[in-house]
Amino acid sequence: MDQIKRVPVTAGDYPKTWSEFLDWFSSEDACQSYLEQLRWPDGFVCPRCGSVGQAYRASRARLMCKDCRHQSSVTSGTIFDKTRTPLRAWFGAAWYLTNQKHGVSALGLQRVLGLGSYETAWTMLHRFRRAMVRFGRDGLKGRVEVDETYLALTDRVTPVSASGRKSNTTMALVAVAVEILAPKGFGRIRLRRIEEGSEEHLLPFVKDVVEPGAEVHTDGSAAYRSLTKAGYKHDRTVMLGSDVPAHTSMPGVHRVAALIQRWILGTHHGAVQPDQLDYYLDEFVFRFNRRTSRSRGLLFYRLLGQAVVTDPVTYSDVAQRQRRANIS
Ligand SMILES: [Zn+2]
């Protein structure tokens, strides 16, 4: 039994081009070594006893703690947990997801990777979307526009005839927060699906995503009346009876809302299940907030880095959540 061998890449290294990607990740072993570097940059950490830096290799994928003899693998407890899909396909998916400007649909991913089933592609994309949310990330700062917008979603799982509705298009309400830069341009964004545009839903959204002390620009809705008390500078623009169109007084929110709608219609053909919308919003935020990143390889590296610290979710987890959402 060997101790963990280190591949000759240093932490922080990532492939810059497709041909480098192919060179680096030509085998399952290479992918596994790369994940080990990402997950344990300072050496193996036993998930059971917390012992650091010591492991036997029980087999190619199995690592055994020297202290408590617990066996684990680099993928256990990550989004790759118990997957039957080769790591090379996962890496290919991460590369494709981060190198396509607008991302990829499950059908597109199934085709490009030659995956056996649509469900496999769909589950991979959903697991990566979960990894796209970085916990403990900084709140928005400076001047921030906050508003709600409706997105049109098409429910393709429930046929029109079965649902008894004339249309299977759902309007989903989404809270949008956008940093406004001076003299012009937009910074980072945050999004959340909300049930209604009331204080009960909008105030917690602002508190969760905007740093205290920031200047929050909203319309005249009563939902925002407590912002000053909550520690924000509140700039209200009352729209009612005003001649100023929304895209002039709230340019950031207006622009972002149009981009999300276009992305859902374009990349995903409008076919986003309403109760899955939050995952798609997470992906959109990940892309938007990194839109000026010069290196797509760096995005790939960041996504894999988050993937090895994100809990696994299975297809049945997601489907169950969907059923629960339909019941409640
Ligand atoms: Zn241990």
Side-chain angles (χ1 to χ4, degrees):
M1 287 187 285
D2 305 331
Q3 273 185 271
I4 295 178
K5 282 200 199 82
R6 292 279 170 219
V7 288
V9 288
T10 55
D13 243 1
Y14 49 87
K16 314 288 186 296
T17 61
W18 174 239
S19 98
E20 268 186 21
F21 175 90
L22 292 175
D23 282 350
W24 285 36
F25 306 121
S26 57
S27 67
E28 286 296 288
D29 279 357
C31 296
Q32 203 178 295
S33 299
Y34 192 72
L35 286 185
E36 285 173 7
Q37 289 269 349
L38 277 174
R39 187 171 182 183
W40 300 306
D42 304 313
F44 173 78
V45 180
C46 173
R48 183 196 272 169
C49 75
S51 166
V52 179
Q54 302 277 3
Y56 291 117
R57 198 171 285 281
S59 72
R60 254 185 199 183
R62 305 300 292 172
L63 299 167
M64 191 168 73
C65 173
K66 269 190 174 176
D67 291 334
C68 75
R69 327 232 6 121
H70 175 69
Q71 287 199 20
S72 61
S73 73
V74 71
T75 54
S76 56
T78 75
I79 71 160
F80 311 109
D81 204 13
K82 299 185 176 67
T83 182
R84 272 170 291 173
T85 308
L87 286 176
R88 289 185 72 198
W90 280 99
F91 277 45
W95 184 265
Y96 202 68
L97 249 180
T98 47
N99 278 265
Q100 297 291 310
K101 192 173 173 211
H102 299 294
V104 59
S105 67
L107 194 60
L109 189 68
Q110 186 193 354
R111 281 186 190 145
V112 77
L113 295 179
L115 297 170
S117 79
Y118 175 85
E119 281 71 25
T120 302
W122 191 89
T123 304
M124 289 170 90
L125 286 177
H126 269 273
R127 289 193 185 188
F128 275 127
R129 284 190 188 108
R130 273 179 66 105
M132 286 177 179
V133 189
R134 188 166 59 85
F135 293 97
R137 56 191 180 177
D138 296 341
L140 304 184
K141 297 185 180 83
R143 183 173 168 81
V144 179
E145 280 179 15
V146 176
D147 203 358
E148 315 103 68
T149 187
Y150 278 99
L151 294 178
L153 309 175
T154 306
D155 183 343
R156 288 195 179 167
V157 173
T158 316
V160 178
S161 54
S163 69
R165 283 175 287 155
K166 275 196 175 141
S167 151
N168 59 357
T169 297
T170 306
M171 299 306 283
L173 188 61
V174 173
V176 182
V178 184
E179 280 179 343
I180 306 299
L181 306 180
K184 62 178 204 147
F186 309 130
R188 296 167 301 155
I189 62 168
R190 297 281 186 264
L191 306 168
R192 178 184 295 172
R193 188 187 179 186
I194 52 173
E195 277 171 48
E196 51 182 36
S198 62
E199 179 170 37
E200 185 193 349
H201 295 98
L202 285 164
L203 191 61
F205 171 69
V206 173
K207 284 180 170 175
D208 287 350
V209 306
V210 185
E211 292 274 304
E215 181 187 349
V216 179
H217 181 200
T218 71
D219 63 17
S221 163
Y224 302 109
R225 66 193 153 197
S226 305
L227 283 182
T228 309
K229 213 198 301 176
Y232 298 99
K233 284 174 227 146
H234 189 193
D235 176 12
R236 270 169 93 240
T237 303
V238 180
M239 304 287 196
L240 197 66
S242 157
D243 292 333
V244 185
H247 63 266
T248 318
S249 64
M250 290 274 188
V253 167
H254 189 83
R255 174 89 182 123
V256 168
L259 288 173
I260 305 167
Q261 186 68 72
R262 197 187 301 165
W263 180 69
I264 285 175
L265 288 174
T267 302
H268 303 289
H269 311 291
V272 169
Q273 287 294 300
D275 48 274
Q276 301 287 320
L277 179 61
D278 278 315
Y279 294 110
Y280 290 86
L281 296 180
D282 287 342
E283 179 181 348
F284 187 87
V285 170
F286 179 87
R287 289 183 185 290
F288 189 91
N289 290 350
R290 290 160 183 83
R291 67 198 180 283
T292 55
S293 175
R294 273 168 299 139
S295 165
R296 309 313 288 182
L298 180 61
L299 289 192
F300 164 81
Y301 172 79
R302 294 253 183 269
L303 180 57
L304 281 190
Q306 291 182 44
V308 289
V309 295
T310 303
D311 282 343
V313 57
T314 61
Y315 183 79
S316 65
D317 284 340
V318 178
Q320 262 172 20
R321 200 167 308 136
Q322 193 167 323
R323 277 197 294 278
R324 275 200 301 275
N326 288 343
I327 292 164
S328 62

